[in-house]
Each structure stands twice: as C-alpha cells, then as structure tokens.
Amino acid sequence: MSYQRPKGTNDILPGESEKWQFIEETARTLFSRYQYQEIRTPLFEHYEVISRSVGDTTDIVSKEMYDFYDKGNRHITLRPEGTAPIVRSYVEHKLFGPEHTNPYKVFYIGPMFRYERPQKGRLRQFHQIGVEAFGSNNPATDVETMIMALEFFKQLGIKQFHLVINTLGDQKTRKNYRQALVDYFFAYESQLSEDSKRRLQENPLRILDSKDKADQKLVADAPSILDYLSPEAFQHFTQVTTMLDALEISYEIEPTMVRGLDYYTHTIFEIMSDNPQLGAQSTLCAGGRYDQLVEELGGPDTPGFGFAMGIERLLLVLENEAVELPDLHSLDAYVVNIGANTNVEALKVTQAIRDAGFSADRDVMGRKAKAQFKSADKKGARLVFTLGEDELEAGMINVKAMASGKEKRVPLEAIYSDFAQIFEEMS
Ligand code: HAM
C-alpha cells in the first residue's frame, strides 16, 4: 500500500526548499528595515473569527473553509488567511495598549488552507508572506506598504509586474454604492448567474468579483464606486494617488476591483504578474486597508493596512522569468577517503572543517575513489580532499580545487590549525 499527498498540497523537497528559504530570508530582511516584527498565530481558529471578518457571503467562507467540530464540540477552521487571526490576536493581547509601539507592525510567513479547485498557482494548502500595520489612518501608510511589496519583487529579481489600485471608501460610500449596484443589477436580474442573484440580495458588491462570464459582461457597465465616494473617502484616495505620483510609482486604477474578502475599506491593491504563463492566477500580492475590522472583533476603533502574497505563485514567476537564485546549499569541501583505516581520520578532518565554519561532507559508504569523486562533483564541492592510507601514514592530505584543477599536498596538521588559510589559498 502506498499513498499520495492529499490533492492540492505539495511536498517541498530539498532542491526546492532552498528557494523557499531565499524568498523568506529576503522578506525578513526587507520587512525588518520597515520595522515589522514576526508574529505566529495558530493554524486553526474559531470559525467565527474568520466568518465575521472575511464575510459569510464570500467564496472563502461559504465554499472553501476546512472547518470541523473538535472533540469538545467547538466549531474550528483551518485558517484560510492571516489577517483575521492576527486581528484576533491583536485584540486578545491588547497590542493597542500604551506600552506597545503605534503603529504596531507585524509580518507572518506560513501555510493557509482553502478548499479550492487546484490548478497551477492555486492550491488547497498554500503559503503566504504577509504584513499588517495597525493604528495609522495616514495615507502614507498605504503608500509605504505598497512600496515595500513592490520593493520585495524587485529584490527577488522579478521584472514583469504591475500595481493595480482601487478604493472601497468608507461606510457612507458603500451604502450609496450598494444602492446604485442594486438599482443597476436589478434591471438585469434574469441574466445574472444563480450565485449573483443571491448576492444581489445579500452583498451586491460581491457580484463585481464574479467569475461567471455573463455576470462579467454586466459588471463591465456597472456604476463605478469612484462616483460614489464620500468627501472623506475621496480625500483619502486622492492623497494616496498624489503620494504614489510624488514617488514616481506607476499604477493603474481599476474601479471594479473589490477583492474576495469583506473587511476592506478605502485603499485596496493587487500586484499582478505580466507573465502569460500564470493565466488566471496572476495576482501575486493583494491587500488593503481594513479600518473597521479591529472594532468588529471587539477591539477599540483602530485602522489597519496589510497585504499577503502567495509563495507558490512567486516561485512560478521566478521560474518563468528564469531568475537565477543564489546557491544556498554550496559545499566548500568534500573528503574522499580510501581504505578502512582512514575512516576515523576522515571523520576528524570533516569535523575540523565544519568547526572552522565551512560546509563539508565525506563518503560514508566505503565507495571506490572514482565514485567518491563523482559524488563530490555532483554536490558541486569547491575543494576535494583525498585521504588514502599512504597519505595517512605520511600525515598528509591531498587537496584539489575543482574549478581550477590546482592540486597540492598539505600536512593534516594544517587542516586542524588553520583551515581558512588553506581554503583561501586554494580557491
Ligand atoms: P487574498 O487575495 O485572499 O488576500 O490572498 C493573497 C494572496 O495569496 C493572493 O494574491 C495569492 O497570491 C495567494 N493565494 C490566495 N489563495 C491561494 C491559493 N489557493 N493558492 C495559492 N495562492 C493563493 C488575503 O489573504 C488577505 N489576508 C491579504 C491581506 C492582508 N489584506 C490585508 N492584509
């Protein structure tokens, strides 16, 4: 009996995991420059934390939750995203208190779970890198956070992407806009998909996010939210675009963009890949402002802004754009050992090289010299040391630089006393 991994999940194997480490390291370094600190929340949450935040009528909550009742009859769900759990944590630990910095800025890296139809760039267990900043109303927060995301893509070496923004305004804006949408779509009700007929009653904004072709035709001529902004919402959005212009960041405004989660207010944005290979999964990063969410989950009136990006999609783009990633698994030295008597000395030599702060490996399979050299080559070793019984007797070891072919015999003692010196001389 053998098993396969569950549908929509991936094993991240060596060879691949180095790329993950590179992406995560790049994020950690960049985010800390912007003063974000790491937060880790549980992989599962109370169902209600997610349903109240993301919204009951969204696809995420109504169709894609991995939810269950635990042995204590609690309604639990694997987290489909990171923002709601972090807001729950922010409120629970009173991170808005005077002893904490304001804005309070956190980042996270980890798996999320959505029961979606798996395809390229869309999984059931996928991974996000995200950030959340609490406490600032200032449009400069929107702009610097979007810039940080753009900077991240540049640092990874990704070139083909663009920024799309929109605003969902404040409550007053959405009330007026909702009415405009109801009036518009009501006239075409019979042409709407079954899902959208329901959305028309429950949450007409969701129709704008419909994947249905007939719905999308109607959406193209739907009223624009930009015509319904309250004076405050208009001012916030104008400041955002003015600041983006001042920093010479190019962007598009897409008035029908609504995002698949209900908690957004004011600025929302997506960073899309222009690489044709990604197809429908071209959104690499998405986020926005959520000024009501902290209060919705029982905290004080506190604005928020954040984003998340899918690591699997980043990897697809890196591959499609043929971006060269640094080698994070390089091998400085390989110790070829021939004859059973060299076993202990080979162990000592390899350990000494590791103790000196270099990466080292050796043969432990008792293979022939030729096979050991092949192994060293396959691993990309920079230096290959050879220890035979003759060398051992003479207290010497052979060293070869693989790139130049330069070879030398050095006293074993030199490895123990100053390996760095040998490494520098040979490479
Ligand atoms: P989201 O748009 O649902 O937003 O997801 C953000 C990103 O996660 C997407 O743009 C995509 O790159 C990736 N993603 C989503 N679903 C999948 C999937 N099934 N397979 C692979 N990748 C996926 C959020 O999750 C919000 N919490 C973002 C946010 C943070 N807003 C404010 N703060």
Side-chain angles (χ1 to χ4, degrees):
M1 187 73 167
S2 73
Y3 296 100
Q4 292 189 333
R5 61 191 187 275
K7 193 172 168 185
T9 67
N10 267 335
D11 296 315
I12 302 157
L13 303 177
E16 202 47 31
S17 57
E18 290 79 8
K19 298 178 193 162
W20 287 70
Q21 288 168 5
F22 170 68
I23 290 176
E24 290 167 10
E25 246 345 275
T26 306
R28 284 174 199 281
T29 310
L30 176 68
F31 296 168
S32 86
R33 230 202 277 159
Y34 284 76
Q35 290 285 285
Y36 281 83
Q37 289 179 289
E38 185 171 6
I39 185 167
R40 303 186 191 198
T41 65
L43 298 197
F44 57 87
E45 281 287 336
H46 288 294
Y47 181 90
E48 210 182 307
V49 168
I50 309 296
S51 65
R52 281 190 68 167
S53 312
V54 175
D56 284 327
T57 58
T58 60
D59 282 355
I60 295 179
V61 171
S62 65
K63 300 180 183 163
E64 298 168 0
M65 295 275 264
Y66 273 94
D67 65 313
F68 57 95
Y69 287 85
D70 72 5
K71 294 189 200 310
N73 210 28
R74 298 171 196 91
H75 197 183
I76 297 290
T77 182
L78 298 188
R79 63 182 190 192
E81 60 106 48
T83 311
I86 289 170
V87 172
R88 191 267 308 139
S89 177
Y90 179 80
V91 174
E92 179 172 343
H93 299 284
K94 299 191 170 54
L95 301 175
F96 42 79
E99 66 276 33
H100 298 290
T101 53
N102 195 15
Y104 192 83
K105 301 200 274 194
V106 290
F107 78 87
Y108 54 98
I109 301 176
M112 307 292 163
F113 308 86
R114 295 183 194 175
Y115 192 79
E116 294 201 77
R117 203 160 44 81
Q119 46 190 288
K120 204 167 164 189
R122 193 197 288 169
L123 292 118
R124 290 183 173 169
Q125 173 174 322
F126 60 100
H127 298 75
Q128 284 185 344
I129 299 180
V131 306
E132 313 295 345
F134 296 97
S136 164
N137 265 323
N138 191 335
T141 295
D142 309 26
V143 172
E144 74 163 25
T145 313
M146 290 192 277
I147 289 178
M148 184 171 80
L150 294 168
E151 178 61 28
F152 178 70
F153 288 100
K154 276 189 226 146
Q155 285 197 359
L156 286 182
I158 296 172
K159 296 206 166 63
Q160 306 164 11
F161 59 85
H162 67 276
L163 170 67
V164 184
I165 64 169
N166 190 24
T167 174
L168 293 178
D170 47 17
Q171 268 168 335
K172 202 160 115 204
T173 303
R174 273 206 307 288
K175 190 160 166 265
N176 292 338
Y177 185 50
R178 185 194 153 96
Q179 193 53 52
L181 286 179
V182 171
D183 293 346
Y184 171 79
F185 284 117
F186 197 68
Y188 301 101
E189 196 181 358
S190 59
Q191 297 173 40
L192 286 172
S193 68
E194 286 311 309
D195 266 350
S196 286
K197 278 185 190 136
R198 186 173 43 80
R199 291 175 182 132
L200 188 55
Q201 309 294 329
E202 294 173 349
N203 190 353
L205 221 77
R206 292 257 71 87
I207 300 176
L208 302 184
D209 209 27
S210 172
K211 307 284 174 290
D212 183 272
K213 288 270 173 307
D215 288 352
Q216 284 176 349
K217 265 202 194 117
L218 296 173
V219 166
D221 292 322
S224 163
I225 192 161
L226 300 180
D227 295 327
Y228 294 85
L229 297 181
S230 68
E232 297 77 23
F234 178 78
Q235 202 201 4
H236 188 93
F237 194 54
T238 307
Q239 282 182 274
V240 167
T241 53
T242 306
M243 287 177 191
L244 284 171
D245 293 339
L247 279 106
E248 296 179 18
I249 308 288
S250 45
Y251 61 91
E252 287 164 24
I253 300 176
E254 174 52 68
T256 57
M257 180 166 86
V258 286
R259 313 268 309 105
L261 308 96
D262 278 351
Y263 49 61
Y264 291 112
T265 57
H266 295 285
T267 319
I268 53 173
F269 77 100
E270 293 191 359
I271 299 175
M272 323 278 292
S273 168
D274 299 324
N275 193 297
Q277 302 269 344
L278 264 87
Q281 271 59 251
S282 62
T283 308
L284 303 176
C285 173
R289 186 166 271 288
Y290 46 89
D291 288 351
Q292 253 96 59
L293 188 55
V294 174
E295 213 174 359
E296 177 68 31
L297 290 191
D301 180 10
T302 310
F305 192 95
F307 65 71
M309 42 210 176
I311 299 185
E312 286 83 357
R313 291 190 191 174
L314 292 176
L315 285 162
L316 275 178
V317 172
L318 287 169
E319 193 181 321
N320 287 328
E321 290 194 21
V323 177
E324 288 254 356
L325 301 183
D327 183 5
L328 297 175
H329 191 61
S330 64
L331 182 61
D332 297 321
Y334 189 89
V335 182
V336 170
N337 54 102
I338 308 148
N341 292 336
T342 60
N343 198 14
V344 175
E345 196 67 27
L347 177 64
K348 282 172 67 185
V349 166
T350 313
Q351 286 306 110
I353 297 173
R354 292 171 179 153
D355 288 348
F358 293 83
S359 56
D361 216 345
R362 56 161 290 196
D363 179 80
V364 285
M365 313 300 286
R367 282 178 291 199
K368 298 237 157 52
K370 199 171 157 201
Q372 294 192 37
F373 263 97
K374 220 165 141 187
S375 189
D377 201 40
K378 201 162 140 197
K379 285 166 163 281
R382 289 175 71 172
L383 301 184
V384 175
F385 290 83
T386 311
L387 185 67
E389 290 182 351
D390 291 349
E391 281 91 358
L392 183 61
E393 201 133 303
M396 304 293 280
I397 192 165
N398 208 58
V399 48
K400 180 175 180 182
M402 296 303 268
S404 64
K406 184 169 145 191
E407 253 183 288
K408 206 177 162 182
R409 262 190 147 208
V410 295
L412 273 169
E413 205 29 59
I415 305 242
Y416 297 123
S417 58
D418 196 358
F419 179 78
Q421 160 78 25
I422 297 177
F423 188 80
E424 194 178 318
E425 195 183 306
M426 293 300 293
S427 46

